Amino acid sequence: MDIQSYQELLLWRPQPLKALVANGILYEQTKAVLFGDPKLGKSLLAQQLAFCLARGQAFLGFNTMPCKVLYLQSEISRILFKERVEATGKGIGQAIPNGQLYFSTMFGFHLDKDAASTDLAKEVGRLKPDVVILDPKYKLVSSNDENSIIRLTDTIDKLISNFGVTVILI
């Protein structure tokens, strides 16, 4: 535990956080939530963000830093997701550098459970992404009770703390 006096805290000069998406929209080693009513296109927007981050291409008019991205989705079948990703990639029109963008489709992958949290941590440790996108929250928890949500957010906080990633939860 690192305890500092008020004066020590004021003297502390941390390295500034890098903005992954400009204008303070998304910083490294933070978390963000993209939310809204069903069928508004949150997942499509998140996929577009993943492609933009992987290339360092502007997202909705905001500059981005090139990042390695891991996108884990658990809502639609792998084949339908592949079709979506291909369409998004074609829309961008430029190649994604090899090793910059990874996808996974996992059904029944509940991050409020130890086994799934451990599996994700292993993959994050292996791939070393800068950004992890988890899509959608309601499929990544075993129930919507408070304890499940707390365990999910604890998993996200551990990923940030242990691996220095940025996490986006859809």
Side-chain angles (χ1 to χ4, degrees):
M1 183 182 313
D2 183 23
I3 299 174
Q4 297 177 311
S5 71
Y6 171 72
Q7 291 76 15
E8 290 169 327
L9 183 61
L10 292 179
L11 292 173
W12 178 53
R13 298 290 178 246
Q15 292 283 48
L17 292 174
K18 287 187 257 175
L20 303 180
V21 179
N23 293 37
I25 292 174
L26 185 66
Y27 287 100
E28 66 178 345
Q29 299 180 30
T30 61
K31 56 188 163 201
V33 178
L34 176 60
F35 64 95
D37 289 333
K39 305 297 178 198
L40 289 179
K42 297 177 296 297
S43 294
L44 294 174
L45 187 66
Q47 289 165 31
Q48 182 73 34
L49 175 58
F51 274 90
C52 290
L53 286 169
R55 292 192 60 253
Q57 176 182 348
F59 173 71
L60 302 176
F62 296 98
N63 291 333
T64 68
M65 294 212 32
C67 299
K68 186 186 288 188
V69 179
L70 170 60
Y71 192 114
L72 182 123
Q73 74 88 27
S74 59
E75 191 167 39
I76 63 174
S77 70
R78 187 174 182 203
I79 190 166
L80 292 176
F81 187 68
K82 178 186 185 299
E83 290 172 3
R84 272 192 191 179
V85 168
E86 281 180 332
T88 302
K90 286 179 187 172
I92 288 178
Q94 295 181 3
I96 299 296
N98 192 31
Q100 283 295 100
L101 184 55
Y102 295 89
F103 293 99
S104 180
T105 296
M106 300 286 293
F107 292 118
F109 193 72
H110 298 130
L111 292 173
D112 59 329
K113 302 292 183 186
D114 289 339
S117 296
T118 300
D119 288 348
L120 179 58
K122 284 180 187 174
E123 288 306 306
V124 169
R126 181 178 72 83
L127 293 172
K128 299 182 180 10
D130 302 300
V131 176
V132 176
I133 299 175
L134 303 171
D135 183 18
K137 183 220 57 141
Y138 84 93
K139 287 288 197 173
L140 294 168
V141 290
S142 56
S143 74
N144 240 355
D145 69 26
E146 184 177 0
N147 289 328
S148 290
I149 302 304
I150 289 169
R151 286 191 301 273
L152 170 66
T153 57
D154 286 348
T155 295
I156 290 170
D157 289 343
K158 285 177 188 173
L159 288 174
I160 294 167
S161 177
N162 294 340
F163 300 103
V165 299
T166 298
V167 178
I168 301 169
L169 180 64
I170 312 303

